[in-house]
């Protein structure tokens, strides 16, 4: 296993990778030849999706901003995300480290240490690693194993075993399902490569959120522990949670809520746009798109076990499901009203991104961005 760099005192990142890799469930049984065929097909579909998505969205990648497509297994997804988390969370963890020795929880945190936190984070990543079909990872620095675009971070990850698992679970046509997934993920890749300011804007908002945190290290670690204990069956039967707050919500200040509102709007836009494009392109290139969409929506809505639902709430994944629905409605309403070119004004600058309230009321965004200048 390749080291991802020196570990922070708050989190042993290498141990997080090792723990997640050890605990993650094995993927579906496939022969070596079948595995090679799946990887090759996903690469072909990712390539063909570029043309379909860019033609439908009318978004063109600027020269030099293209990024690689990586077909990975579950441990590969873990390594990429730990590298991204480590980069993104460094300012917060440095801040927590400074306060660890001075705050009331300093002694306890010293005893807990980065190794325990690394194990707990690894447990959560092992849970997520078997569920993600694909992801546009933007923040991990480029390495030999994790290449990125020439102008900065970014790579598209397709998690082959998870895609095979879901296509079997849904009992859908495998080749159609693989292309359908690639259309969604390629839309995210197109968003970031065609709109070069988007990555820096998103990172800036996240760093603003973290900078505004009046960091209580014990609160953060307690929530990580709660999630890990839930995953391991450690929460006593019948014990109530704290009202359903997610890990993110527990570290909010009033200033953070403003930033989180903007982040929620952006993520709703990105996810909803990907769903809209996937369904818009689908009928022309995916013969069984109707069946796939219906079965996938049912799976997405119901989740799996009680544990799965509890962890989705704790980690904020239930909010992500709302983002798909709300964002797709926003995109569809705007395109219906002003066309695709009119919708694409959303990518002009951070000022033309929809607010959280505009996601719910697309007409307000249209009125603001498309209003005619006064004579």
């Amino acid at each position: 296993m390749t080291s991802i760099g020196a570990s922070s005192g708050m989190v042993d990142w290498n141990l997080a990778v090792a723990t997640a890799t050890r605990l993650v469930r094995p993927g579906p049984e496939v022969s070596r030849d079948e595995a090679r065929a799946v990887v090759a097909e996903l690469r072909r579909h990712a390539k063909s999706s570029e043309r379909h998505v860019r033609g439908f969205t009318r978004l063109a990648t600027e020269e030099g901003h293209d990024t690689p497509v990586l077909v990975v297994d579950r441990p590969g997804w873990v390594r990429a995300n730990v590298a991204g988390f480590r980069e993104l969370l460094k300012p917060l963890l440095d801040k927590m480290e400074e306060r660890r020795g001075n705050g009331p929880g300093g002694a306890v945190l010293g005893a807990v240490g980065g190794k325990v936190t690394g194990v707990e984070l690894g447990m959560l990543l092992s849970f997520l690693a078997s569920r993600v079909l694909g992801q546009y990872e933007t923040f991990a620095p480029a390495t030999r194993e994790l290449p990125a675009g020439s102008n900065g971070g970014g790579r598209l990850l397709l998690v082959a075993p998870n895609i095979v698992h879901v296509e079997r679970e849904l009992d859908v046509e495998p080749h159609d399902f693989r292309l359908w997934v690639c259309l969604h993920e390629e839309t995210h890749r197109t968003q970031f490569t065609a709109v070069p300011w988007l990555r820096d804007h998103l990172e800036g908002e996240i760093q603003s959120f973290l900078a505004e945190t009046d960091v209580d290290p014990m609160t953060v670690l307690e929530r990580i522990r709660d999630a890990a204990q839930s995953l391991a069956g450690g929460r006593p039967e019948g014990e109530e949670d704290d009202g359903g707050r997610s890990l993110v919500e527990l570290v909010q200040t009033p200033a953070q809520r403003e930033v989180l509102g903007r982040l929620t709007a952006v993520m709703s836009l990105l996810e909803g746009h990907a769903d809209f494009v996937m369904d818009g392109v689908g009928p022309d290139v995916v013969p069984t798109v109707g069946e796939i969409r219906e079965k996938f929506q049912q799976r997405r809505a119901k989740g799996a076990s009680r544990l799965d639902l509890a962890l989705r709430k704790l980690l904020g994944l239930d909010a992500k499901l709302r983002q798909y629905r709300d964002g797709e409605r926003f995109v569809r309403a705007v395109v219906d009203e002003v066309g695709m070119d009119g919708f694409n004004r959303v990518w002009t600058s951070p000022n033309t991104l929809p607010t959280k309230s505009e996601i719910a009321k697309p007409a307000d965004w249209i009125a603001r961005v498309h209003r005619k200048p006064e004579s």
Side-chain angles (χ1 to χ4, degrees), residues 241-286:
D241 63 20
D242 59 2
R245 291 179 294 173
S246 72
L247 183 61
V248 170
E249 290 171 323
L250 282 176
V251 294
Q252 281 187 72
T253 64
Q256 279 182 298
R257 290 189 184 97
E258 294 185 15
V259 179
L260 189 60
R262 296 195 298 269
L263 277 170
T264 298
V266 173
M267 297 311 297
S268 296
L269 171 69
L270 299 181
E271 297 293 0
H273 184 233
D275 266 13
F276 177 78
V277 173
M278 179 170 60
D279 287 346
V281 174
D284 291 333
V285 298
V286 182

Side-chain angles (χ1 to χ4, degrees), residues 301-364:
K302 73 180 182 181
S305 65
R306 176 183 172 188
L307 171 61
D308 196 28
L309 293 171
L311 278 168
R312 281 190 351 196
K313 176 177 286 188
L314 182 64
L315 298 174
L317 301 182
D318 54 341
K320 187 176 178 68
L321 297 180
R322 290 194 297 273
Q323 289 169 5
Y324 284 109
R325 294 191 297 268
D326 296 346
E328 197 274 341
R329 281 195 293 263
F330 170 84
V331 175
R332 186 172 301 280
V334 172
V335 172
D336 285 347
E337 183 67 23
V338 298
M340 186 64 75
D341 290 336
F343 166 79
N344 281 340
R345 290 181 65 174
V346 78
W347 311 117
T348 304
S349 76
N351 292 330
T352 56
L353 291 172
T355 65
K356 189 176 179 181
S357 64
E358 287 171 342
I359 287 287
K361 297 181 179 179
D364 290 353

Side-chain angles (χ1 to χ4, degrees), residues 135-152:
Q135 173 190 2
Y136 189 76
E137 201 291 314
T138 57
F139 300 115
T143 64
R144 184 171 59 85
E145 290 186 345
L146 201 64
S150 58
N151 283 338

Side-chain angles (χ1 to χ4, degrees), residues 15 39 44 59 63 83 103 145 218 254-255 257 272 321 328 333 340:
L15 186 56
V39 170
R44 290 196 304 272
L59 292 174
E63 186 175 354
E145 290 186 345
M218 283 304 298
R257 290 189 184 97
L321 297 180
E328 197 274 341
M340 186 64 75

Side-chain angles (χ1 to χ4, degrees), residues 1-4 17-18 20-21 72-85 125 137 140 145-146 157:
M1 182 185 68
T2 302
S3 170
I4 61 167
V17 172
T21 301
V72 298
D73 57 10
R74 290 168 178 177
W77 179 88
V78 168
R79 288 192 291 271
N81 276 267
V82 167
F85 290 155
L125 288 169
E137 201 291 314
E145 290 186 345
L146 201 64
L157 308 175

